[in-house]
Amino acid sequence: MQTAHHSALTAKHAVLDRQIATEAQRPLPDAVTLAALKKQKLRIKQELAEI
């Protein structure tokens, strides 16, 4: 059974995934922004794995 926290993390993970894809498709993607988004996504993935 998913908790509200788990659902919120899953939704945030999906949003970050879309943001990463959008940034990567730009003509000149910002490497710093991509790295920050990927770090946030990884933190969320790790937290989801702990639940």
Side-chain angles (χ1 to χ4, degrees):
M1 176 161 61
Q2 287 191 359
T3 64
H5 182 62
H6 187 275
S7 296
L9 287 174
T10 302
K12 176 99 172 141
H13 189 271
V15 168
L16 286 168
D17 201 33
R18 286 192 300 272
Q19 288 176 331
I20 290 167
T22 300
E23 183 64 31
Q25 291 175 1
R26 287 182 47 200
L28 292 172
D30 183 1
V32 175
T33 300
L34 274 174
L37 290 170
K38 288 179 180 183
K39 274 187 178 181
Q40 290 176 22
K41 185 178 169 190
L42 180 59
R43 274 190 234 115
I44 290 171
K45 183 178 179 181
Q46 289 172 336
E47 192 172 341
L48 283 168
E50 293 174 2
I51 295 178

